[in-house]
Amino acid sequence: MAGRLASIALISLLLASCGKGRDGTLGVAVIGDAAALNERGQRLSPTAQLVRAATYEGLVGFDERGRVVPALADRWIVTDNGQSYIFRLRDGTWPDGKRISADDAATLLRKAISGLKGTALGLDLGAIDEVRVMADRVIEIDLVAPVPELLILLAQPELALNWQNAKGQNVGTGPMAFTAGDDGAQLFALIPPEKRGLPQQASFASRARPVSLTFAKAAKAVAQFDAGDVDVVLGGRIDTVPLAGRIGLTRGNVQLDPVTGLFGLVVTRTEGFLGAAANREALAMAIDRDTLLGGFNIGGWQPTTRIVSPDAEDDLGTIGERWQGMSLEERHIQAEARVKAWRDAGRALPTMNISMPDGAGSTLVFDALRRDFARIGIAVRRIPENDRGDLRLVDVAARYGRATWFLNQLSCTVQKAVCSPVGDERVAEARRALDPAARAALLAEAEAEITAANGFIPIARPLRWSLLRSGTTGFAQNPWGWHPLPPMAWLPR
């Protein structure tokens, strides 16, 4: 990228065509697979999350800045020291014309929560005690302890409510619907308010514009943007970030979202060498994170050896970066000694497989890891991300900014190969704790336990990038890296 990405991320577009497409349509390319259009249930790929959020609503949703906004609920209050959330549903209808009621909404919400059991998001919702109907259009969610991030959790696409029509088909309440368009694109359009049981808006026809959504591999999506065929490219991650650096300043603008999350290696097999926590730690010690990140030349991208981001709202700061006071050379010597001790005992050390996505960014990561592991006597090979290897590259952005998100991602429920039952117990205790200080202390203990298991090897924060043409509205950088379609479909007043 020759140093261009850092500059591109900070400099506004200097020159660009209006790029609004034919008939006022906004062109959006998503890096991903069109199979997302057919995903059902509640375990969704990132591209399917985008589609679900556009066509189905939960009690609340997100705006373009990642802020919680009304959806099926038009207002809410928080009572009982944060242990009760009361939502008043809007006066509207389900897609078949039946009036939205608290009975129906509560049933659908309970079903959505139940369907997430066994997932990290399900653990995030673990403090929900009961979903109750209080009145015809009023729902109450009772919690065993305060959950400051509850609204953010309820805004997740997986918590959208799936209404079933008379044929037993799941249908969404909008705010958008889509149909097949030209050239394989999907045309997403806002549903008129009066067709959703809402008051008619006089300015709707003049302000609403269709969004032409195409799914493509990264190189094609970037080429579409460079040619002026689309105004927005979504879904950029580290595996594709070198492509963003090749976009000329006169044709586009790279947007980097300030996300936190997990970017590193998770241990997926514990046979042989990887069966011992000290050996797994040797791999973590071997990585030269500064050099790895330096290969991307992205200003401000910092390495980390921690599981929980220090930016988490409830991080006490008592857990620091690992191996402080040790130089990289000293870490290599200690890690190499563990590998040698394994071999000297007559035990085999076959080549380890690392599963990761395709892409030039993944190649940069793998080449750095291969060099670092070779220094301590470990040979590795790269395999496709859907194949099960010994290690897997994890790249996931946090959905909310608290320690529980990070710890739930690595729980025994989710990561079964290497986990910490004691760490999970501390997280469960924190979930029930009423005192914020006690809760934060328990989460720090949990992080220490999960770190010691060495089932996850942190490298840095994730990267999330998009391309945005000058003058395009309804898009904003945000801490979740989340860019919903409905705000882009509204023209400014």
Side-chain angles (χ1 to χ4, degrees), residues 7-44:
S7 299
I8 294 172
L10 299 173
I11 299 175
S12 298
L13 184 66
L14 301 178
L15 177 66
S17 62
C18 66
K20 291 295 180 288
R22 297 183 296 274
D23 303 322
T25 299
L26 178 70
V28 177
V30 178
I31 299 172
D33 195 319
L37 295 168
N38 299 316
E39 287 189 38
R40 300 293 182 263
Q42 290 159 272
R43 305 192 185 203
L44 305 171

PDB file of all heavy atoms in Angstrom, residues 7-44:
ATOM      1  N   SER A   7      -3.030   7.875   4.966  1.00  0.00           N
ATOM      2  CA  SER A   7      -3.361   9.199   4.449  1.00  0.00           C
ATOM      3  C   SER A   7      -4.777   9.244   3.917  1.00  0.00           C
ATOM      4  O   SER A   7      -5.530  10.191   4.166  1.00  0.00           O
ATOM      5  CB  SER A   7      -2.389   9.579   3.333  1.00  0.00           C
ATOM      6  OG  SER A   7      -1.070   9.614   3.815  1.00  0.00           O
ATOM      7  N   ILE A   8      -5.155   8.175   3.188  1.00  0.00           N
ATOM      8  CA  ILE A   8      -6.497   8.147   2.618  1.00  0.00           C
ATOM      9  C   ILE A   8      -7.556   8.209   3.703  1.00  0.00           C
ATOM     10  O   ILE A   8      -8.583   8.867   3.570  1.00  0.00           O
ATOM     11  CB  ILE A   8      -6.677   6.868   1.767  1.00  0.00           C
ATOM     12  CG1 ILE A   8      -5.754   6.936   0.546  1.00  0.00           C
ATOM     13  CG2 ILE A   8      -8.112   6.710   1.302  1.00  0.00           C
ATOM     14  CD1 ILE A   8      -5.707   5.650  -0.241  1.00  0.00           C
ATOM     15  N   ALA A   9      -7.301   7.505   4.804  1.00  0.00           N
ATOM     16  CA  ALA A   9      -8.290   7.456   5.877  1.00  0.00           C
ATOM     17  C   ALA A   9      -8.496   8.806   6.534  1.00  0.00           C
ATOM     18  O   ALA A   9      -9.510   9.036   7.168  1.00  0.00           O
ATOM     19  CB  ALA A   9      -7.843   6.446   6.922  1.00  0.00           C
ATOM     20  N   LEU A  10      -7.547   9.720   6.387  1.00  0.00           N
ATOM     21  CA  LEU A  10      -7.629  10.997   7.073  1.00  0.00           C
ATOM     22  C   LEU A  10      -7.982  12.158   6.148  1.00  0.00           C
ATOM     23  O   LEU A  10      -8.300  13.247   6.611  1.00  0.00           O
ATOM     24  CB  LEU A  10      -6.287  11.308   7.760  1.00  0.00           C
ATOM     25  CG  LEU A  10      -5.861  10.303   8.823  1.00  0.00           C
ATOM     26  CD1 LEU A  10      -4.454  10.633   9.306  1.00  0.00           C
ATOM     27  CD2 LEU A  10      -6.822  10.345   9.987  1.00  0.00           C
ATOM     28  N   ILE A  11      -7.905  11.946   4.847  1.00  0.00           N
ATOM     29  CA  ILE A  11      -8.106  13.047   3.909  1.00  0.00           C
ATOM     30  C   ILE A  11      -9.470  12.916   3.249  1.00  0.00           C
ATOM     31  O   ILE A  11      -9.843  11.854   2.776  1.00  0.00           O
ATOM     32  CB  ILE A  11      -7.002  13.045   2.833  1.00  0.00           C
ATOM     33  CG1 ILE A  11      -5.636  13.239   3.500  1.00  0.00           C
ATOM     34  CG2 ILE A  11      -7.244  14.136   1.808  1.00  0.00           C
ATOM     35  CD1 ILE A  11      -4.483  13.126   2.537  1.00  0.00           C
ATOM     36  N   SER A  12     -10.215  13.967   3.203  1.00  0.00           N
ATOM     37  CA  SER A  12     -11.518  13.955   2.553  1.00  0.00           C
ATOM     38  C   SER A  12     -11.342  13.837   1.043  1.00  0.00           C
ATOM     39  O   SER A  12     -10.286  14.158   0.498  1.00  0.00           O
ATOM     40  CB  SER A  12     -12.294  15.240   2.873  1.00  0.00           C
ATOM     41  OG  SER A  12     -12.535  15.335   4.251  1.00  0.00           O
ATOM     42  N   LEU A  13     -12.376  13.397   0.393  1.00  0.00           N
ATOM     43  CA  LEU A  13     -12.332  13.245  -1.042  1.00  0.00           C
ATOM     44  C   LEU A  13     -12.086  14.586  -1.710  1.00  0.00           C
ATOM     45  O   LEU A  13     -12.729  15.584  -1.405  1.00  0.00           O
ATOM     46  CB  LEU A  13     -13.668  12.668  -1.513  1.00  0.00           C
ATOM     47  CG  LEU A  13     -13.810  12.349  -2.985  1.00  0.00           C
ATOM     48  CD1 LEU A  13     -12.843  11.214  -3.323  1.00  0.00           C
ATOM     49  CD2 LEU A  13     -15.226  11.945  -3.275  1.00  0.00           C
ATOM     50  N   LEU A  14     -11.162  14.629  -2.639  1.00  0.00           N
ATOM     51  CA  LEU A  14     -10.814  15.878  -3.305  1.00  0.00           C
ATOM     52  C   LEU A  14     -11.675  16.142  -4.533  1.00  0.00           C
ATOM     53  O   LEU A  14     -11.970  17.278  -4.857  1.00  0.00           O
ATOM     54  CB  LEU A  14      -9.329  15.842  -3.709  1.00  0.00           C
ATOM     55  CG  LEU A  14      -8.346  15.639  -2.545  1.00  0.00           C
ATOM     56  CD1 LEU A  14      -6.920  15.561  -3.078  1.00  0.00           C
ATOM     57  CD2 LEU A  14      -8.469  16.768  -1.554  1.00  0.00           C
ATOM     58  N   LEU A  15     -12.018  15.077  -5.220  1.00  0.00           N
ATOM     59  CA  LEU A  15     -12.786  15.242  -6.434  1.00  0.00           C
ATOM     60  C   LEU A  15     -13.557  13.975  -6.688  1.00  0.00           C
ATOM     61  O   LEU A  15     -12.991  12.901  -6.642  1.00  0.00           O
ATOM     62  CB  LEU A  15     -11.853  15.532  -7.626  1.00  0.00           C
ATOM     63  CG  LEU A  15     -12.506  15.666  -9.003  1.00  0.00           C
ATOM     64  CD1 LEU A  15     -13.399  16.896  -9.025  1.00  0.00           C
ATOM     65  CD2 LEU A  15     -11.439  15.757 -10.084  1.00  0.00           C
ATOM     66  N   ALA A  16     -14.853  14.086  -6.964  1.00  0.00           N
ATOM     67  CA  ALA A  16     -15.611  12.881  -7.260  1.00  0.00           C
ATOM     68  C   ALA A  16     -16.844  13.246  -8.046  1.00  0.00           C
ATOM     69  O   ALA A  16     -17.366  14.347  -7.931  1.00  0.00           O
ATOM     70  CB  ALA A  16     -16.033  12.176  -5.965  1.00  0.00           C
ATOM     71  N   SER A  17     -17.317  12.306  -8.852  1.00  0.00           N
ATOM     72  CA  SER A  17     -18.577  12.515  -9.537  1.00  0.00           C
ATOM     73  C   SER A  17     -19.697  12.341  -8.534  1.00  0.00           C
ATOM     74  O   SER A  17     -19.510  11.801  -7.454  1.00  0.00           O
ATOM     75  CB  SER A  17     -18.720  11.499 -10.668  1.00  0.00           C
ATOM     76  OG  SER A  17     -18.725  10.201 -10.129  1.00  0.00           O
ATOM     77  N   CYS A  18     -20.901  12.801  -8.886  1.00  0.00           N
ATOM     78  CA  CYS A  18     -22.005  12.703  -7.936  1.00  0.00           C
ATOM     79  C   CYS A  18     -22.334  11.249  -7.648  1.00  0.00           C
ATOM     80  O   CYS A  18     -22.725  10.905  -6.545  1.00  0.00           O
ATOM     81  CB  CYS A  18     -23.230  13.451  -8.445  1.00  0.00           C
ATOM     82  SG  CYS A  18     -23.967  12.737  -9.925  1.00  0.00           S
ATOM     83  N   GLY A  19     -22.213  10.371  -8.654  1.00  0.00           N
ATOM     84  CA  GLY A  19     -22.302   8.939  -8.418  1.00  0.00           C
ATOM     85  C   GLY A  19     -23.608   8.458  -7.824  1.00  0.00           C
ATOM     86  O   GLY A  19     -23.634   7.454  -7.157  1.00  0.00           O
ATOM     87  N   LYS A  20     -24.714   9.160  -8.060  1.00  0.00           N
ATOM     88  CA  LYS A  20     -25.963   8.741  -7.415  1.00  0.00           C
ATOM     89  C   LYS A  20     -26.724   7.694  -8.208  1.00  0.00           C
ATOM     90  O   LYS A  20     -27.798   7.284  -7.838  1.00  0.00           O
ATOM     91  CB  LYS A  20     -26.869   9.967  -7.196  1.00  0.00           C
ATOM     92  CG  LYS A  20     -26.307  10.911  -6.151  1.00  0.00           C
ATOM     93  CD  LYS A  20     -26.272  10.258  -4.804  1.00  0.00           C
ATOM     94  CE  LYS A  20     -25.713  11.151  -3.744  1.00  0.00           C
ATOM     95  NZ  LYS A  20     -24.286  11.377  -3.837  1.00  0.00           N
ATOM     96  N   GLY A  21     -26.157   7.251  -9.330  1.00  0.00           N
ATOM     97  CA  GLY A  21     -26.802   6.177 -10.067  1.00  0.00           C
ATOM     98  C   GLY A  21     -27.988   6.653 -10.872  1.00  0.00           C
ATOM     99  O   GLY A  21     -28.370   7.813 -10.861  1.00  0.00           O
ATOM    100  N   ARG A  22     -28.613   5.750 -11.611  1.00  0.00           N
ATOM    101  CA  ARG A  22     -29.750   6.090 -12.448  1.00  0.00           C
ATOM    102  C   ARG A  22     -30.988   6.305 -11.587  1.00  0.00           C
ATOM    103  O   ARG A  22     -31.236   5.589 -10.635  1.00  0.00           O
ATOM    104  CB  ARG A  22     -30.009   4.957 -13.454  1.00  0.00           C
ATOM    105  CG  ARG A  22     -28.852   4.739 -14.428  1.00  0.00           C
ATOM    106  CD  ARG A  22     -29.196   3.667 -15.444  1.00  0.00           C
ATOM    107  NE  ARG A  22     -29.380   2.373 -14.816  1.00  0.00           N
ATOM    108  CZ  ARG A  22     -28.379   1.543 -14.564  1.00  0.00           C
ATOM    109  NH1 ARG A  22     -27.137   1.879 -14.858  1.00  0.00           N
ATOM    110  NH2 ARG A  22     -28.616   0.371 -14.001  1.00  0.00           N
ATOM    111  N   ASP A  23     -31.768   7.318 -11.972  1.00  0.00           N
ATOM    112  CA  ASP A  23     -33.050   7.591 -11.306  1.00  0.00           C
ATOM    113  C   ASP A  23     -32.913   7.807  -9.810  1.00  0.00           C
ATOM    114  O   ASP A  23     -33.808   7.454  -9.036  1.00  0.00           O
ATOM    115  CB  ASP A  23     -34.035   6.440 -11.571  1.00  0.00           C
ATOM    116  CG  ASP A  23     -34.257   6.207 -13.062  1.00  0.00           C
ATOM    117  OD1 ASP A  23     -34.299   7.212 -13.805  1.00  0.00           O
ATOM    118  OD2 ASP A  23     -34.368   5.045 -13.466  1.00  0.00           O
ATOM    119  N   GLY A  24     -31.788   8.382  -9.378  1.00  0.00           N
ATOM    120  CA  GLY A  24     -31.614   8.697  -7.969  1.00  0.00           C
ATOM    121  C   GLY A  24     -31.292   7.505  -7.104  1.00  0.00           C
ATOM    122  O   GLY A  24     -31.242   7.629  -5.879  1.00  0.00           O
ATOM    123  N   THR A  25     -31.077   6.355  -7.686  1.00  0.00           N
ATOM    124  CA  THR A  25     -30.768   5.154  -6.905  1.00  0.00           C
ATOM    125  C   THR A  25     -29.356   5.239  -6.342  1.00  0.00           C
ATOM    126  O   THR A  25     -28.429   5.653  -7.032  1.00  0.00           O
ATOM    127  CB  THR A  25     -30.902   3.898  -7.792  1.00  0.00           C
ATOM    128  OG1 THR A  25     -32.235   3.800  -8.258  1.00  0.00           O
ATOM    129  CG2 THR A  25     -30.546   2.642  -6.997  1.00  0.00           C
ATOM    130  N   LEU A  26     -29.199   4.829  -5.086  1.00  0.00           N
ATOM    131  CA  LEU A  26     -27.884   4.791  -4.461  1.00  0.00           C
ATOM    132  C   LEU A  26     -27.291   3.401  -4.653  1.00  0.00           C
ATOM    133  O   LEU A  26     -27.880   2.402  -4.240  1.00  0.00           O
ATOM    134  CB  LEU A  26     -27.996   5.108  -2.966  1.00  0.00           C
ATOM    135  CG  LEU A  26     -26.683   5.059  -2.177  1.00  0.00           C
ATOM    136  CD1 LEU A  26     -25.771   6.217  -2.573  1.00  0.00           C
ATOM    137  CD2 LEU A  26     -26.952   5.088  -0.681  1.00  0.00           C
ATOM    138  N   GLY A  27     -26.119   3.343  -5.267  1.00  0.00           N
ATOM    139  CA  GLY A  27     -25.468   2.063  -5.489  1.00  0.00           C
ATOM    140  C   GLY A  27     -24.583   1.670  -4.315  1.00  0.00           C
ATOM    141  O   GLY A  27     -23.717   2.437  -3.904  1.00  0.00           O
ATOM    142  N   VAL A  28     -24.795   0.488  -3.778  1.00  0.00           N
ATOM    143  CA  VAL A  28     -24.016  -0.018  -2.644  1.00  0.00           C
ATOM    144  C   VAL A  28     -23.518  -1.417  -2.988  1.00  0.00           C
ATOM    145  O   VAL A  28     -24.299  -2.291  -3.378  1.00  0.00           O
ATOM    146  CB  VAL A  28     -24.858  -0.077  -1.356  1.00  0.00           C
ATOM    147  CG1 VAL A  28     -24.054  -0.686  -0.215  1.00  0.00           C
ATOM    148  CG2 VAL A  28     -25.346   1.320  -0.972  1.00  0.00           C
ATOM    149  N   ALA A  29     -22.220  -1.628  -2.862  1.00  0.00           N
ATOM    150  CA  ALA A  29     -21.638  -2.962  -3.038  1.00  0.00           C
ATOM    151  C   ALA A  29     -21.224  -3.492  -1.678  1.00  0.00           C
ATOM    152  O   ALA A  29     -20.580  -2.783  -0.898  1.00  0.00           O
ATOM    153  CB  ALA A  29     -20.439  -2.911  -3.981  1.00  0.00           C
ATOM    154  N   VAL A  30     -21.582  -4.727  -1.391  1.00  0.00           N
ATOM    155  CA  VAL A  30     -21.237  -5.375  -0.136  1.00  0.00           C
ATOM    156  C   VAL A  30     -20.256  -6.494  -0.428  1.00  0.00           C
ATOM    157  O   VAL A  30     -20.514  -7.342  -1.294  1.00  0.00           O
ATOM    158  CB  VAL A  30     -22.489  -5.939   0.572  1.00  0.00           C
ATOM    159  CG1 VAL A  30     -22.097  -6.659   1.849  1.00  0.00           C
ATOM    160  CG2 VAL A  30     -23.468  -4.822   0.883  1.00  0.00           C
ATOM    161  N   ILE A  31     -19.142  -6.497   0.287  1.00  0.00           N
ATOM    162  CA  ILE A  31     -18.177  -7.578   0.134  1.00  0.00           C
ATOM    163  C   ILE A  31     -18.748  -8.804   0.836  1.00  0.00           C
ATOM    164  O   ILE A  31     -18.824  -8.859   2.069  1.00  0.00           O
ATOM    165  CB  ILE A  31     -16.815  -7.187   0.719  1.00  0.00           C
ATOM    166  CG1 ILE A  31     -16.257  -5.957  -0.012  1.00  0.00           C
ATOM    167  CG2 ILE A  31     -15.835  -8.352   0.629  1.00  0.00           C
ATOM    168  CD1 ILE A  31     -15.008  -5.383   0.620  1.00  0.00           C
ATOM    169  N   GLY A  32     -19.171  -9.763   0.050  1.00  0.00           N
ATOM    170  CA  GLY A  32     -19.818 -10.935   0.625  1.00  0.00           C
ATOM    171  C   GLY A  32     -20.564 -11.716  -0.424  1.00  0.00           C
ATOM    172  O   GLY A  32     -20.471 -11.445  -1.626  1.00  0.00           O
ATOM    173  N   ASP A  33     -21.358 -12.664   0.051  1.00  0.00           N
ATOM    174  CA  ASP A  33     -22.044 -13.617  -0.819  1.00  0.00           C
ATOM    175  C   ASP A  33     -23.537 -13.317  -0.845  1.00  0.00           C
ATOM    176  O   ASP A  33     -24.149 -13.047   0.203  1.00  0.00           O
ATOM    177  CB  ASP A  33     -21.813 -15.037  -0.290  1.00  0.00           C
ATOM    178  CG  ASP A  33     -22.165 -16.106  -1.320  1.00  0.00           C
ATOM    179  OD1 ASP A  33     -23.182 -15.954  -2.006  1.00  0.00           O
ATOM    180  OD2 ASP A  33     -21.411 -17.090  -1.412  1.00  0.00           O
ATOM    181  N   ALA A  34     -24.137 -13.395  -2.038  1.00  0.00           N
ATOM    182  CA  ALA A  34     -25.577 -13.151  -2.172  1.00  0.00           C
ATOM    183  C   ALA A  34     -26.411 -14.196  -1.444  1.00  0.00           C
ATOM    184  O   ALA A  34     -27.612 -13.997  -1.245  1.00  0.00           O
ATOM    185  CB  ALA A  34     -25.968 -13.116  -3.648  1.00  0.00           C
ATOM    186  N   ALA A  35     -25.783 -15.292  -0.998  1.00  0.00           N
ATOM    187  CA  ALA A  35     -26.515 -16.294  -0.216  1.00  0.00           C
ATOM    188  C   ALA A  35     -27.072 -15.689   1.063  1.00  0.00           C
ATOM    189  O   ALA A  35     -27.985 -16.251   1.677  1.00  0.00           O
ATOM    190  CB  ALA A  35     -25.608 -17.477   0.111  1.00  0.00           C
ATOM    191  N   ALA A  36     -26.531 -14.538   1.467  1.00  0.00           N
ATOM    192  CA  ALA A  36     -27.023 -13.858   2.668  1.00  0.00           C
ATOM    193  C   ALA A  36     -28.506 -13.528   2.558  1.00  0.00           C
ATOM    194  O   ALA A  36     -29.205 -13.430   3.574  1.00  0.00           O
ATOM    195  CB  ALA A  36     -26.223 -12.589   2.914  1.00  0.00           C
ATOM    196  N   LEU A  37     -28.994 -13.352   1.341  1.00  0.00           N
ATOM    197  CA  LEU A  37     -30.408 -13.017   1.143  1.00  0.00           C
ATOM    198  C   LEU A  37     -31.327 -14.148   1.592  1.00  0.00           C
ATOM    199  O   LEU A  37     -32.490 -13.910   1.923  1.00  0.00           O
ATOM    200  CB  LEU A  37     -30.669 -12.710  -0.335  1.00  0.00           C
ATOM    201  CG  LEU A  37     -29.972 -11.465  -0.899  1.00  0.00           C
ATOM    202  CD1 LEU A  37     -30.070 -11.461  -2.414  1.00  0.00           C
ATOM    203  CD2 LEU A  37     -30.583 -10.198  -0.310  1.00  0.00           C
ATOM    204  N   ASN A  38     -30.801 -15.359   1.632  1.00  0.00           N
ATOM    205  CA  ASN A  38     -31.635 -16.517   1.951  1.00  0.00           C
ATOM    206  C   ASN A  38     -31.366 -17.086   3.336  1.00  0.00           C
ATOM    207  O   ASN A  38     -31.927 -18.133   3.684  1.00  0.00           O
ATOM    208  CB  ASN A  38     -31.410 -17.607   0.900  1.00  0.00           C
ATOM    209  CG  ASN A  38     -31.781 -17.142  -0.503  1.00  0.00           C
ATOM    210  OD1 ASN A  38     -32.816 -16.509  -0.688  1.00  0.00           O
ATOM    211  ND2 ASN A  38     -30.927 -17.433  -1.478  1.00  0.00           N
ATOM    212  N   GLU A  39     -30.516 -16.443   4.111  1.00  0.00           N
ATOM    213  CA  GLU A  39     -30.228 -16.953   5.450  1.00  0.00           C
ATOM    214  C   GLU A  39     -31.432 -16.745   6.364  1.00  0.00           C
ATOM    215  O   GLU A  39     -32.032 -15.672   6.385  1.00  0.00           O
ATOM    216  CB  GLU A  39     -28.998 -16.260   6.043  1.00  0.00           C
ATOM    217  CG  GLU A  39     -27.684 -16.718   5.409  1.00  0.00           C
ATOM    218  CD  GLU A  39     -26.470 -16.183   6.154  1.00  0.00           C
ATOM    219  OE1 GLU A  39     -26.513 -16.112   7.404  1.00  0.00           O
ATOM    220  OE2 GLU A  39     -25.481 -15.825   5.489  1.00  0.00           O
ATOM    221  N   ARG A  40     -31.759 -17.773   7.104  1.00  0.00           N
ATOM    222  CA  ARG A  40     -32.875 -17.710   8.045  1.00  0.00           C
ATOM    223  C   ARG A  40     -32.352 -17.983   9.452  1.00  0.00           C
ATOM    224  O   ARG A  40     -31.181 -18.220   9.660  1.00  0.00           O
ATOM    225  CB  ARG A  40     -33.947 -18.737   7.662  1.00  0.00           C
ATOM    226  CG  ARG A  40     -34.536 -18.520   6.274  1.00  0.00           C
ATOM    227  CD  ARG A  40     -35.351 -17.222   6.205  1.00  0.00           C
ATOM    228  NE  ARG A  40     -35.947 -17.034   4.895  1.00  0.00           N
ATOM    229  CZ  ARG A  40     -35.418 -16.274   3.937  1.00  0.00           C
ATOM    230  NH1 ARG A  40     -34.269 -15.647   4.167  1.00  0.00           N
ATOM    231  NH2 ARG A  40     -36.017 -16.142   2.780  1.00  0.00           N
ATOM    232  N   GLY A  41     -33.240 -17.988  10.406  1.00  0.00           N
ATOM    233  CA  GLY A  41     -32.826 -18.246  11.777  1.00  0.00           C
ATOM    234  C   GLY A  41     -32.126 -17.044  12.380  1.00  0.00           C
ATOM    235  O   GLY A  41     -32.300 -15.907  11.931  1.00  0.00           O
ATOM    236  N   GLN A  42     -31.300 -17.302  13.392  1.00  0.00           N
ATOM    237  CA  GLN A  42     -30.705 -16.199  14.136  1.00  0.00           C
ATOM    238  C   GLN A  42     -29.188 -16.273  14.227  1.00  0.00           C
ATOM    239  O   GLN A  42     -28.576 -15.477  14.930  1.00  0.00           O
ATOM    240  CB  GLN A  42     -31.301 -16.168  15.547  1.00  0.00           C
ATOM    241  CG  GLN A  42     -32.753 -15.735  15.535  1.00  0.00           C
ATOM    242  CD  GLN A  42     -33.471 -16.173  16.784  1.00  0.00           C
ATOM    243  OE1 GLN A  42     -34.001 -17.268  16.851  1.00  0.00           O
ATOM    244  NE2 GLN A  42     -33.467 -15.322  17.779  1.00  0.00           N
ATOM    245  N   ARG A  43     -28.575 -17.205  13.535  1.00  0.00           N
ATOM    246  CA  ARG A  43     -27.119 -17.281  13.484  1.00  0.00           C
ATOM    247  C   ARG A  43     -26.710 -16.819  12.100  1.00  0.00           C
ATOM    248  O   ARG A  43     -26.679 -17.602  11.148  1.00  0.00           O
ATOM    249  CB  ARG A  43     -26.637 -18.685  13.811  1.00  0.00           C
ATOM    250  CG  ARG A  43     -27.193 -19.154  15.160  1.00  0.00           C
ATOM    251  CD  ARG A  43     -26.542 -20.409  15.672  1.00  0.00           C
ATOM    252  NE  ARG A  43     -27.204 -20.847  16.908  1.00  0.00           N
ATOM    253  CZ  ARG A  43     -26.641 -21.616  17.816  1.00  0.00           C
ATOM    254  NH1 ARG A  43     -25.407 -22.037  17.637  1.00  0.00           N
ATOM    255  NH2 ARG A  43     -27.301 -21.966  18.899  1.00  0.00           N
ATOM    256  N   LEU A  44     -26.422 -15.537  11.993  1.00  0.00           N
ATOM    257  CA  LEU A  44     -26.307 -14.873  10.708  1.00  0.00           C
ATOM    258  C   LEU A  44     -24.871 -14.486  10.387  1.00  0.00           C
ATOM    259  O   LEU A  44     -24.108 -14.096  11.271  1.00  0.00           O
ATOM    260  CB  LEU A  44     -27.169 -13.606  10.694  1.00  0.00           C
ATOM    261  CG  LEU A  44     -28.650 -13.770  11.027  1.00  0.00           C
ATOM    262  CD1 LEU A  44     -29.310 -12.399  11.176  1.00  0.00           C
ATOM    263  CD2 LEU A  44     -29.351 -14.596   9.963  1.00  0.00           C
TER     264      LEU A  44
END
